[in-house]
């Protein structure tokens, strides 16, 4: 046998899994079709939001609490800051899903939080100009994860623990052999392993055709605009946010390593494609106009000249929950597709869960039934 575990995709999830598996003593091979890190998949653009009062579903909160512990651990190991605490704001109309969902999560898990109005948010964080009657949850432990930095940190930790990682090597096919081992064929070689982890982000549906209409790549655009009052957009004065406004649902982060206030709109212009390679990667005037008009209305001191615009990909499931499970037919194959636009913050704990599923009897102490492949919402036949 060449390896204990082969991981396809060394992005956010695959890099974390490589470390978790290698530190347990497994012989690991990680295969990445582009560079490590790269700006082709879902994890580029320097930073990602991490927040605890999870409006999407309170079942994510225990996973997040463990994710924080593991972010701190990899940060210590790497000797660099990968988690920056700014506090988080989840705001919207008082009867809306975003505010009500965040409030329910905060209460259920007894998270430290304050309920503020749009006016009170502006008094405390003057960059914000949300509608005065908006209701917001302020949670002090929210912040950002340095996403590409964390991929590098995870890969270096995995390599130090003995993992072999190959960039620029594309997996073309995989199959389960009669002896139950997994054979992986790339554009350069053929490998055999006991277990296989599929963590290919927006390309998941190519490696697993059952996900063809279930894990759908979608074009997103991120904007960084130069603040006209930069002091208001520093991490110490600018909590990360998720807000529901008339124009849709938006998220944003303080100035960090790029000279601009960063934000984006969930499901930007609704441009879903069947295959990630067909996604339009250029940015056009309409992308910029749409994002700029949001900043001008709700963060006017952040709407200076454009610093950067980047295209990135979501991988959406029908219910917008992740897929983290063993393959229904081949239990030695682990499927990890944590995206729908909110997966990065979990990468550290997903790495641990993948390592659990790929080790021993494949069980995990983490509660992940709601992320299973056979949940009815996915309608996999
Ligand atoms: C614009 C944007 C903003 C976001 N904001 C947030 C946020 O604030 N907070 C948050 O928690 N989440 C956020 N997300 C979601 C989060 O970034 C994703 O959930 C996460 O990056 C997914 O990681 P991944 O490992 O699944 O995918 P990726 O990091 O893309 O990794 C998959 C890797 O697999 C490789 N690969 C694919 N096919 C093959 C093959 N055949 N052979 C070898 N390698 C292959 C790819 O090249 C890629 O490097 C955002 C996403 C986007 C696009």
């Amino acid at each position: 046998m060449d390896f204990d575990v082969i991981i396809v995709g060394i992005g956010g999830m695959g890099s974390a899994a490589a470390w978790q598996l290698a530190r347990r003593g497994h012989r690991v091979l990680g295969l990445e079709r582009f560079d490590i890190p790269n700006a082709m998949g879902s994890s580029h653009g320097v930073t990602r939001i991490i927040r605890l009062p999870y409006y999407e579903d309170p079942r994510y909160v225990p996973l997040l609490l463990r994710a924080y512990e593991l972010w701190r651990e990899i940060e210590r190991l790497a000797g660099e800051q990968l988690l920056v605490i700014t506090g988080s704001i989840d705001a919207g109309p008082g009867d809306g899903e975003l505010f009500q969902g965040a409030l329910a999560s905060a209460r259920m898990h007894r998270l430290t939080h304050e309920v503020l109005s749009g006016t009170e948010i502006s008094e405390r964080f003057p960059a914000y100009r949300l509608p005065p009657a908006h209701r917001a949850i302020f949670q002090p432990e929210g912040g950002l994860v340095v996403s590409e930095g964390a991929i590098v940190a995870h890969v270096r930790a995995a390599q130090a623990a003995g993992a072999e990682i190959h960039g620029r090597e594309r997996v073309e096919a995989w199959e389960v052999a009669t002896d139950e081992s997994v054979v992986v064929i790339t554009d350069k070689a053929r490998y055999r392993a006991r277990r296989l982890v599929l963590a290919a982000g927006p390309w998941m549906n190519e490696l697993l055709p059952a996900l063809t209409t279930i894990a759908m790549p979608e074009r997103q655009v991120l904007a960084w605009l130069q603040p006209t009052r930069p002091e208001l957009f520093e991490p110490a004065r600018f909590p990360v946010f998720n807000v529901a406004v008339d124009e849709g649902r938006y998220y944003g982060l303080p100035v960090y390593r790029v000279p601009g206030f960063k934000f984006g709109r969930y499901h930007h212009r609704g441009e879903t494609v069947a295959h990630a390679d067909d996604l339009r990667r250029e940015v056009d005037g309409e992308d910029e106009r749409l994002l700029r008009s949001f900043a001008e209305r709700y963060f006017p001191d952040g709407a200076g000249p454009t610093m950067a615009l980047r295209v990135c990909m979501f991988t959406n499931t029908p219910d917008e929950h992740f897929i983290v499970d063993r393959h229904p037919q081949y239990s030695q194959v682990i499927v990890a597709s944590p995206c729908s636009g909110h997966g990065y913050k979990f990468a550290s704990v997903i790495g641990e869960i993948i390592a659990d599923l790929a080790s021993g009897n494949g069980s995990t102490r983490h509660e992940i039934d709601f992320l299973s492949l056979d949940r009815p919402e996915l309608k996999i036949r």
Side-chain angles (χ1 to χ4, degrees), residues 39 44-46 148 220-224 281 283 308-312:
H44 56 285
V46 188
E148 286 153 292
Q220 300 296 310
V221 178
L222 285 165
W224 286 260
R281 290 191 174 272
V283 177
L309 295 163
R310 301 285 289 273
V311 170
C312 189

Side-chain angles (χ1 to χ4, degrees), residues 8-14 31-34 38 41-43 48-49 151 169-171 199-203 207 220 222 251 312-314 336 338-339 341-346:
V8 185
I10 299 297
M13 309 303 145
L31 298 168
E32 167 54 52
R33 65 181 275 184
F34 298 117
N38 64 69
S42 300
S43 299
R48 291 290 184 270
I49 291 172
I151 290 175
E169 182 165 354
R170 178 170 182 264
V171 172
W203 289 269
L207 292 165
Q220 300 296 310
L222 285 165
Y251 54 91
C312 189
M313 278 189 267
F314 281 0
C339 192
H342 62 113
Y344 196 90
K345 62 183 78 62
F346 297 89

Side-chain angles (χ1 to χ4, degrees), residues 202-213:
W203 289 269
M204 278 303 272
N205 62 13
E206 290 178 14
L207 292 165
L208 206 58
L211 296 185
T212 299
T213 56

Side-chain angles (χ1 to χ4, degrees), residues 50-272:
I50 183 163
R51 55 191 158 86
L52 276 170
Y54 224 64
Y55 63 84
E56 290 89 339
D57 195 310
R59 287 176 292 183
Y60 286 101
V61 177
L63 299 178
L64 279 163
L65 294 170
R66 178 62 179 149
Y68 270 83
E69 290 175 0
L70 289 167
W71 286 125
R72 292 292 186 207
E73 191 179 353
I74 188 65
E75 198 176 46
R76 275 195 303 276
L77 203 62
E80 63 178 299
Q81 188 170 25
L82 298 172
L83 185 59
V84 179
I85 301 303
T86 62
S88 64
I89 285 175
D90 292 295
D95 57 356
E97 279 175 30
L98 203 159
F99 173 74
Q100 287 296 333
L103 183 63
S105 262
R107 284 181 174 160
M108 183 181 296
H109 292 285
R110 299 178 190 279
L111 304 173
T112 307
H113 70 283
E114 288 175 70
V115 176
L116 301 171
S117 67
T119 306
E120 288 167 326
I121 289 286
S122 299
E123 283 164 9
R124 197 176 307 181
F125 306 110
Y128 281 71
R129 303 285 172 77
L130 298 179
H134 258 38
R135 304 272 285 161
I137 304 290
F138 172 70
Q139 208 286 324
E141 288 145 287
L144 60 90
V145 181
V146 185
S147 52
E148 286 153 292
I151 290 175
V152 175
H154 277 138
V155 167
R156 293 190 64 194
Q159 289 167 331
E164 188 174 326
I165 309 283
H166 299 180
R168 299 246 172 189
E169 182 165 354
R170 178 170 182 264
V171 172
E172 294 179 336
W174 61 272
E175 62 192 29
V176 174
T178 46
D179 66 354
E180 300 291 303
S181 65
V182 185
V183 176
V184 173
I185 298 139
T186 75
D187 53 1
K188 290 184 178 160
R190 186 184 178 92
Y191 308 95
R192 193 179 278 268
R194 287 180 218 286
R195 306 275 162 92
L196 175 68
V197 173
L198 300 176
W203 289 269
M204 278 303 272
N205 62 13
E206 290 178 14
L207 292 165
L208 206 58
L211 296 185
T212 299
T213 56
I214 308 248
M216 301 294 288
E218 186 192 3
R219 180 175 176 274
Q220 300 296 310
V221 178
L222 285 165
W224 286 260
L225 306 185
Q226 181 191 353
T228 50
R229 294 186 62 197
E231 72 281 7
L232 303 183
F233 291 82
E234 293 298 321
R237 293 189 75 187
F238 191 87
V240 298
F241 70 80
N242 267 251
V243 297
V245 288
D246 295 344
E247 297 86 347
R249 188 158 57 101
Y250 291 71
Y251 54 91
L253 305 92
V255 174
Y256 190 82
R257 293 198 190 167
V258 173
F261 147 56
K262 175 184 171 182
F263 62 99
R265 180 185 198 229
Y266 282 99
H267 307 302
H268 182 64
R269 288 163 66 187
E271 296 168 276
T272 297

